[in-house]
Amino acid sequence: MKFQKICVLGLGYIGLPTASTIATHGVRVVGVDVNPLVVNSLQNGHVHLYEPGLQELVDEALKSGNLVVSSQPEPADAFEIAVPTPFFDDKRADMTFVSSAAEAIVPHLRPSNLVLLESTSPPRTTVDLVVPILEKSGLKAGKDFFVAYSPERVLPGQILRELVENTRVVGGITPASAQAASDFYAIFVQGEIVQTDATTAEMVKLMENTYRDVNIAIANEFARLADRFGVDVWEAISLANRHPRVKILRPGPGVGGHCISVDPWFLVEAAPDLVNVIRAARQVNDSQPPFAAALVQRALGSLQGKRVAALGLAFKPDVDDLRESPAIEVVHLLLKAGAQVTVYEPFKTDFTIPGARTAATLSEAVKDVDALLLLVGHSQLNGLDPVEVAKMTRARVAVDMVNGWQPAGWQAAGFDIYRLGVGSEHAS
Ligand code: SAJ
């Protein structure tokens, strides 16, 4: 199947890189977003989110004339839905954006079109939710037009490279739909394109992120055990990982972002009677911020009135994405316990948390505090020179949640260092 014009619905971390990549491969793309601020900003050439290389790619796509940004879908050969699937407070998937995007396609759907869902979704969403909406057009899915699900699996921070290089799983509601989706991705994917059915493709995505969540949960549980038994978990993990079949991940203040902390809940919702390990892992990772906050409390005696510089707020290193960030949750807990917190996020220096002070620079953040708290292993925070930092602050307590700071260097610079997952006899 040949594609001359494509309509991408949702211009976030997935939709915008995909739309721009396709446009730079010589295909006309209409990028659609319901948020007028996003549309406005992109129409003026400004990318509203941070991903390395994305601004340059969008510049190139807009300059080529192949990418246009609009608030409305238009008739096209293929429609790609790349909208968010958040969850409600009770952890049920909120499919409103997917439904609205499918509804918005209906008036423009023509015979032989391809509709692709990329949003992470509970099993059977494509066949049970999306297809019935699209069939309101009067056309029959699988017969008059093609429908497929293809999970995106790109890693924030490396999206542009992974979008092109990763293996792509495409699940069609029929084999012909899977083939149409393969033809679509062949426009820009250099990795392998593997065909399956739509529900398997949905499951694959959920299984990948759940697998990672469970593995991080066990690392976090090891950190708690190490803390109790006077062991340095980082040393223990690096030794265990010398076993040829063991690869323990990194403990930290919790699991954030819009994927790994969300997707396993879709499986819990879909089959609550079957998911003991998956549910427990989610609970362990969700209860990691209180464990991290308790370590700060231990370092400072009491938190009441203590001044803490919280360094890093993003959900993981070297990205500006703050969604579901455990670092923010730790700050909330410290504030609740009476601490006065100054936050510094180098990738979003104007981000505010109610009750906390926002610092625009590191020196402003650490100036007048009792403790430094490393919450995210951003390269520039890991790389701080403790001797230089000691000159900027009166604090002599440093708490490291991510194993970003070499304890010996910080101790030599006069700091008492506390580390997540390191029992007390290793702490100083
Ligand atoms: N984290 C740890 N310890 C680790 C690894 C991660 O605590 O050893 C934490 C991170 O700090 C972060 C969270 O887990 O808070 C998730 O980070 P991540 O780097 O594991 O994953 P994401 O959310 O950036 O991207 C994941 C990826 N999925 C997998 O690796 C299986 C990515 O390939 C997916 O495309 C993405 O989810 C998605 O969009 O679903």
Side-chain angles (χ1 to χ4, degrees):
M1 186 172 170
K2 286 261 172 284
F3 301 92
Q4 281 168 355
K5 184 175 171 194
I6 285 160
C7 186
V8 176
L9 292 92
L11 295 177
Y13 283 95
I14 301 305
L16 184 58
T18 310
S20 313
T21 301
I22 296 172
T24 56
H25 282 72
V27 178
R28 280 159 59 217
V29 181
V30 184
V32 178
D33 205 286
V34 291
N35 183 343
L37 296 175
V38 169
V39 173
N40 229 319
S41 169
L42 286 169
Q43 282 174 340
N44 289 310
H46 303 299
V47 172
H48 56 292
L49 36 89
Y50 175 77
E51 172 65 26
L54 183 57
Q55 178 71 58
E56 292 79 0
L57 180 71
V58 171
D59 287 346
E60 193 189 334
L62 290 170
K63 221 173 88 199
S64 74
N66 281 331
L67 176 65
V68 292
V69 177
S70 169
S71 53
Q72 296 292 334
E74 291 176 16
D77 301 316
F79 297 88
E80 179 193 313
I81 301 176
V83 296
T85 40
F87 57 24
F88 295 114
D89 285 347
D90 63 1
K91 312 290 188 195
R92 280 181 310 108
D94 176 356
M95 301 308 290
T96 327
F97 297 116
V98 170
S99 301
S100 319
E103 296 278 1
I105 293 169
V106 172
H108 307 289
L109 198 62
R110 304 281 176 269
S112 302
N113 279 174
L114 165 68
V115 180
L116 265 169
L117 177 62
E118 285 203 8
S119 312
T120 304
S121 301
R124 299 192 61 82
T125 296
T126 308
V127 285
D128 289 349
L129 179 75
V130 174
V131 163
I133 294 174
L134 296 174
E135 288 188 337
K136 289 183 190 173
S137 62
L139 300 172
K140 184 95 187 88
K143 187 165 157 273
D144 302 323
F145 65 99
F146 304 111
V147 183
Y149 178 84
S150 180
E152 58 76 13
R153 300 138 106 199
V154 289
L155 196 70
Q158 303 182 27
I159 291 179
L160 302 191
R161 185 176 59 76
E162 291 206 354
L163 198 60
V164 172
E165 290 180 5
N166 284 2
T167 295
R168 195 91 209 189
V169 173
V170 294
I173 60 161
T174 56
S177 289
Q179 185 55 50
S182 295
D183 296 344
F184 173 89
Y185 289 110
I187 297 172
F188 63 96
V189 170
Q190 288 164 12
E192 217 183 323
I193 301 173
V194 189
Q195 297 183 19
T196 182
D197 66 85
T199 306
T200 301
E202 291 164 350
M203 272 292 285
V204 166
K205 168 71 186 196
L206 297 173
M207 283 162 55
E208 290 166 356
N209 281 354
T210 301
Y211 170 85
R212 194 153 168 89
D213 196 42
V214 169
N215 279 286
I216 299 169
I218 201 165
N220 284 333
E221 213 155 83
F222 287 151
R224 297 179 194 186
L225 290 164
D227 183 79
R228 174 165 306 172
F229 297 126
V231 165
D232 177 338
V233 78
W234 304 98
E235 182 194 359
I237 288 175
S238 78
L239 295 176
N241 282 351
R242 297 175 88 146
H243 185 289
R245 285 173 297 284
V246 173
K247 176 82 185 77
I248 301 168
L249 295 178
R250 295 169 67 87
V255 170
H258 184 62
C259 311
I260 299 205
S261 67
V262 177
D263 299 357
W265 288 119
F266 292 179
L267 293 174
V268 174
E269 177 190 354
D273 53 321
L274 298 178
V275 291
N276 300 326
V277 174
I278 296 170
R279 185 189 289 108
R282 270 294 65 240
Q283 284 161 348
V284 168
N285 288 336
D286 273 355
S287 60
Q288 194 68 354
F291 179 74
L295 177 62
V296 185
Q297 170 134 21
R298 204 158 81 200
L300 285 170
S302 149
L303 287 171
Q304 193 59 47
K306 294 285 167 50
R307 292 168 181 247
V308 178
L311 307 179
L313 293 175
F315 88 88
K316 70 173 196 173
D318 297 331
V319 299
D320 78 332
D321 191 340
L322 276 67
R323 289 178 295 176
E324 316 286 334
S325 174
I328 295 176
E329 182 60 24
V330 173
V331 171
H332 283 309
L333 292 166
L334 298 179
L335 290 169
K336 217 164 129 198
Q340 295 175 28
V341 184
T342 302
V343 296
Y344 172 59
E345 170 44 66
F347 286 91
K348 264 202 181 135
T349 49
D350 56 354
F351 185 78
T352 54
I353 296 181
R357 221 165 57 84
T358 297
T361 61
L362 177 77
S363 56
E364 191 189 328
V366 302
K367 202 164 149 211
D368 185 26
V369 295
D370 301 304
L372 312 181
L373 169 60
L374 179 63
L375 283 170
V376 183
H378 290 315
S379 315
Q380 71 185 94
L381 297 177
N382 284 352
L384 289 176
D385 176 350
V387 175
E388 291 306 313
V389 176
K391 292 180 197 157
M392 298 178 191
T393 179
R394 63 178 169 79
R396 288 299 174 261
V397 171
V399 188
D400 177 358
M401 296 298 175
V402 292
N403 199 31
W405 289 341
Q406 281 295 328
W410 285 78
Q411 280 160 350
F415 289 90
D416 277 341
I417 182 138
Y418 293 79
R419 294 189 298 144
L420 181 104
V422 180
S424 46
E425 59 252 46
H426 285 269
S428 53

